[in-house]
Amino acid sequence: MKKKNKGKFGRFGGMYAPETLMPVLEEVEQAYKHFKKDKTLQQEYKTLLKDYNGRETPLYEARNLSASCGGAQIFIKREDLNHTGAHKITNALGQALLAKAMGKKRVIAETGAGQHGVATATAAALLGLSCDIYMGTVDMERQKPNVFRMNLLGANVKAVDSGGKTLKDAVNEAMRDWTKSVRDTHYVFGSALGPHPFPTIVRDFQAVIGREARKQILAKTGRLPDEVIACVGGGSNAIGIFSAFIKDKDVKLTGVEAGGHGIEGTNHAVRLTPNKHARPGILHGSFSFVLQDNNGQIANTHSISAGLDYSGVGPEHSYLFEKARASYTFATDEEAVKAFKMLCHTEGIIPALESSHAAAYVLKKAPLLSKDSILLLNLSGRGDKDIFSVAQHLRINL
């Protein structure tokens, strides 16, 4: 294992990777620097975002939800309206273009809820790249529609049956694959985590969410929101929307983690909300807060949402937490399902279970605020993929 003091967010982040991966991480870093300066590549990416992806996504005033909650006005950034149904495609298109620019013929990725897998498979199909997606067998079972979608798009879904059989284990297998295939393969990280330069690359690609939201809320209300709220698994949608507001000290930033069955023990995926099992450590190439068991080993997690079911968190979130620039809390499975149903009934929007955790916080916070307060909720994805999980939770046979 080799450590390099690069890509740090305060004391977090870095580049902790096997010797075999260090040259390719350097290659990705240099290629990304070129990508940012290359006007042809930048124009191709912007055109794809607009004409293929469907950006910019709308900012919607949720009047029915606001009226039901009482208190604050609630605005929703509709990332669920991206092509493929989540913010993930924004990053996948960028990294697939980066892979082609590096001359790679194959991409690999890991996925929990399947949205990043579908996004990567989509970008690979569009750009003519071979594609393998690693996915835990527990997640494959609860996200069957997305497994089928990835297959339809020409990707091979590789089942991971080790550990907790969820996202952490899928990342392990994808990293092992990449170690053996770096010559012709690019690893499309799905969240703002992993070794440098991936937390920066993913943050930069997802920062368009924040830029759009900031411009849109100013146009609609004439001022910035009081609080920006997003769910946090690895944290890509959250860091994407937070990035445009970090310098606005009067705007509170709140990340909502998966509280599972409650934060006693490790039957959850809470890393930044203080609890006795969350401590800084190294996971998948970077130093960040990690959920650990009583022996200091990486703990298996639980969440009704496959996309939040991860033991680590992106290092920039750990930095924002430690600097007290962002606050982190959690919602339980039960609270997330309640919020899921609330958005369905009041706004006709079926949200992803990931986003429902952030919505659960909004349901609790809005009634406590005055009517001139503004809450901005990032709805990171749509919930078609989650109807089976919700039905099972509600003990309904489909």
Side-chain angles (χ1 to χ4, degrees):
M1 185 77 72
K2 187 174 181 179
K3 170 186 172 184
K4 277 202 171 184
N5 191 31
K6 298 178 71 172
K8 288 294 190 71
F9 303 92
R11 65 184 177 122
F12 299 104
M15 185 186 280
Y16 299 83
E19 291 282 354
T20 51
L21 285 182
M22 297 307 286
V24 75
L25 290 171
E26 300 276 1
E27 178 191 11
V28 173
E29 181 182 29
Q30 294 306 315
Y32 182 59
K33 287 180 179 177
H34 173 75
F35 182 92
K36 289 194 293 184
K37 294 178 181 176
D38 189 299
K39 292 182 179 178
T40 302
L41 285 171
Q42 286 295 311
Q43 186 56 51
E44 186 175 2
Y45 181 51
K46 288 178 182 177
T47 300
L48 285 178
L49 288 187
K50 179 177 181 292
D51 297 340
Y52 184 75
N53 185 11
R55 302 206 77 96
E56 62 182 39
T57 59
L59 181 71
Y60 168 70
E61 182 178 4
R63 294 183 179 179
N64 295 336
L65 185 63
S66 301
S68 295
C69 291
Q73 305 166 60
I74 301 167
F75 286 80
I76 299 176
K77 180 61 173 166
R78 296 293 307 276
E79 289 299 299
D80 57 314
L81 296 181
N82 278 294
H83 177 46
T84 72
H87 71 294
K88 295 291 188 182
I89 187 68
T90 303
N91 166 60
L93 285 170
Q95 288 207 49
L97 281 175
L98 183 63
K100 286 208 73 169
M102 288 190 292
K104 307 294 184 182
K105 306 295 184 188
R106 174 178 179 252
V107 291
I108 58 172
E110 85 300 324
T111 193
Q115 291 297 79
H116 175 56
V118 170
T120 302
T122 299
L126 178 69
L127 298 176
L129 297 166
S130 172
C131 181
D132 290 320
I133 305 293
Y134 287 88
M135 190 171 191
T137 51
V138 168
D139 291 339
M140 289 180 71
E141 178 61 28
R142 57 182 170 176
Q143 297 292 342
K144 286 180 181 176
N146 273 341
V147 174
F148 185 56
R149 291 169 74 194
M150 285 183 270
N151 287 328
L152 285 175
L153 291 160
N156 299 310
V157 180
K158 292 182 171 291
V160 177
D161 202 36
S162 58
K165 307 173 186 178
T166 58
L167 182 58
K168 169 176 68 69
D169 313 292
V171 176
N172 287 341
E173 290 304 317
M175 293 285 281
R176 288 191 185 99
D177 181 319
W178 201 33
T179 302
K180 296 181 289 187
S181 62
V182 292
R183 189 179 298 274
D184 70 344
T185 299
H186 176 65
Y187 183 175
V188 181
F189 265 83
S191 198
L193 45 78
H196 176 72
F198 286 103
T200 299
I201 290 174
V202 177
R203 187 271 316 278
D204 289 355
F205 283 135
Q206 297 294 3
V208 65
I209 304 172
R211 291 195 298 272
E212 289 178 2
R214 195 175 192 282
K215 181 185 70 174
Q216 291 166 328
I217 198 74
L218 285 170
K220 285 181 179 291
T221 69
R223 71 176 183 89
L224 295 175
D226 295 283
E227 188 168 351
V228 178
I229 303 107
C231 63
V232 178
S236 65
N237 88 94
I239 205 66
I241 195 165
F242 286 178
S243 61
F245 298 95
I246 287 174
K247 293 181 180 177
D248 301 308
K249 301 300 183 186
D250 292 334
V251 178
K252 185 178 180 184
L253 307 176
T254 300
V256 185
E257 303 182 276
H261 297 316
I263 64 171
E264 296 300 321
T266 59
N267 207 12
H268 56 82
V270 169
R271 297 70 35 93
L272 293 172
T273 308
N275 71 91
K276 64 181 180 181
H277 292 286
R279 297 184 288 274
I282 296 173
L283 177 63
H284 296 143
S286 69
F287 182 69
S288 190
F289 273 83
V290 178
L291 194 66
Q292 303 176 34
D293 64 18
N294 291 330
N295 298 315
Q297 300 298 309
I298 305 301
N300 290 324
T301 54
H302 164 77
S303 171
I304 191 173
S305 167
L308 301 185
D309 202 355
Y310 182 61
S311 307
V313 66
E316 193 167 359
H317 284 290
S318 291
Y319 172 72
L320 294 174
F321 166 72
E322 202 157 78
K323 296 284 287 184
R325 178 61 192 96
S327 300
Y328 296 85
T329 183
F330 67 92
T332 64
D333 289 353
E334 199 70 36
E335 291 170 329
V337 171
K338 179 183 175 183
F340 179 98
K341 294 169 63 179
M342 188 76 166
L343 257 77
C344 292
H345 293 167
T346 60
E347 297 290 352
I349 295 173
I350 302 176
L353 274 174
E354 291 90 332
S355 314
S356 299
H357 286 72
Y361 172 84
V362 169
L363 297 188
K364 288 185 283 188
K365 187 65 180 289
L368 305 177
L369 302 175
S370 63
K371 290 188 181 299
D372 61 351
S373 299
I374 296 174
L375 298 179
L376 171 53
L377 166 65
N378 194 34
L379 194 73
S380 57
R382 71 181 183 224
D384 311 43
K385 64 186 177 59
D386 293 320
I387 58 173
F388 299 101
S389 296
V390 173
Q392 183 179 34
H393 182 86
L394 299 175
R395 299 181 180 178
I396 296 171
N397 291 321
L398 295 181

